[in-house]
Amino acid sequence: MSDARGDVGERAQDPRDGRLISWFQRWRRPIRYWLSSRSSVPAAEIDDLAQEVFLRLLRYSDDIAIDNPQSYLFRIASNVANEWRERAQRRQPHDNSWLEDLQSAPGAEPENAVAYGRAREHVQAAVQRLPPRQREVLLLHVNEGLTYKQITDRLGLSPRIVLRDLTRAYSQLRTQLNLEDLEDMDQR
């Protein structure tokens, strides 16, 4: 078995390989720790980035004399982490346009149409059961989008009465709709 540098047996005796193996054994854990603690790299990416550090070390020429392997390896790790961070900022994992295709209108599918129609009937019936002034204040606020001040001006009521009527209307609707939902579940 051979590779570009010759026989595997010859390669194992290459002094450079011995140096790389010892550096890998000595510095792999500290580099992984540094990547996880100081460079905000997700845990799933740490092993890949640590491997990239040592792969880059393999690319350099044998002529380079490295006096301080710790600082040299951590400089490479810093470069790898910075490049990863830059790529992560530019990367968009998914195109959001396909999400619009997945969404459908509430009445588009038969089950949804039935459920939507039933819910709408329940809400309309509950609104009709409200006292007349509460119903009018609620409909002005919800359907026409009027503010409390605009409702007070239109109906000649005080702001406090408008607030009280809306609060009571919402409370009654919540209670009525919850009871109706429970009754529907019992019928199924």
Side-chain angles (χ1 to χ4, degrees):
M1 183 189 268
S2 66
D3 62 357
R5 294 174 69 189
D7 191 82
V8 173
E10 292 174 23
R11 187 168 178 230
Q13 295 173 356
D14 184 353
R16 182 174 180 230
D17 287 344
R19 182 181 62 179
L20 290 175
I21 290 170
S22 68
W23 285 3
F24 180 80
Q25 291 169 342
R26 167 71 178 100
W27 298 108
R28 180 178 168 272
R29 280 193 177 151
I31 286 175
R32 287 183 77 250
Y33 177 77
W34 183 87
L35 287 169
S36 67
S37 65
R38 289 190 181 83
S39 63
S40 67
V41 174
E45 303 282 337
I46 290 173
D47 284 328
D48 290 341
L49 294 183
Q51 180 179 358
E52 179 65 24
V53 169
F54 289 99
L55 286 174
R56 287 187 184 188
L57 186 62
L58 282 173
R59 290 186 203 145
Y60 297 114
S61 168
D62 291 337
D63 300 337
I64 298 175
I66 301 171
D67 296 328
N68 187 348
Q70 178 181 4
S71 63
Y72 191 70
L73 286 170
F74 280 91
R75 182 75 227 148
I76 294 173
S78 176
N79 292 340
V80 167
N82 288 337
E83 290 171 14
W84 177 88
R85 215 176 355 266
E86 288 174 13
R87 279 192 313 269
Q89 287 174 351
R90 288 190 304 249
R91 184 180 347 155
Q92 292 183 357
H94 303 289
D95 180 18
N96 291 336
S97 64
W98 64 272
L99 289 174
E100 294 170 5
D101 296 337
L102 293 177
Q103 296 174 344
S104 61
E109 296 188 20
E111 313 86 46
N112 292 345
V114 171
Y116 181 74
R118 187 176 298 141
R120 185 181 175 114
E121 289 171 5
H122 286 302
V123 170
Q124 287 176 346
V127 168
Q128 290 303 314
R129 287 191 295 268
L130 290 173
R133 190 176 71 205
Q134 286 181 12
R135 179 175 49 241
E136 186 176 11
V137 169
L138 178 73
L139 292 176
L140 287 173
H141 183 65
V142 173
N143 290 347
E144 296 184 28
L146 298 182
T147 64
Y148 293 2
K149 174 79 171 112
Q150 293 168 330
I151 295 171
T152 61
D153 293 343
R154 184 179 284 186
L155 298 179
L157 302 171
S158 72
R160 187 175 185 162
I161 291 176
V162 170
L163 176 63
R164 185 188 68 196
D165 283 349
L166 275 174
T167 303
R168 287 182 179 172
Y170 282 126
S171 176
Q172 288 180 17
L173 287 175
R174 203 173 300 117
T175 302
Q176 289 178 24
L177 292 173
N178 284 340
L179 289 175
E180 289 174 2
D181 288 342
L182 289 174
E183 289 170 3
D184 282 349
M185 290 176 73
D186 287 340
Q187 292 174 0
R188 290 180 192 172

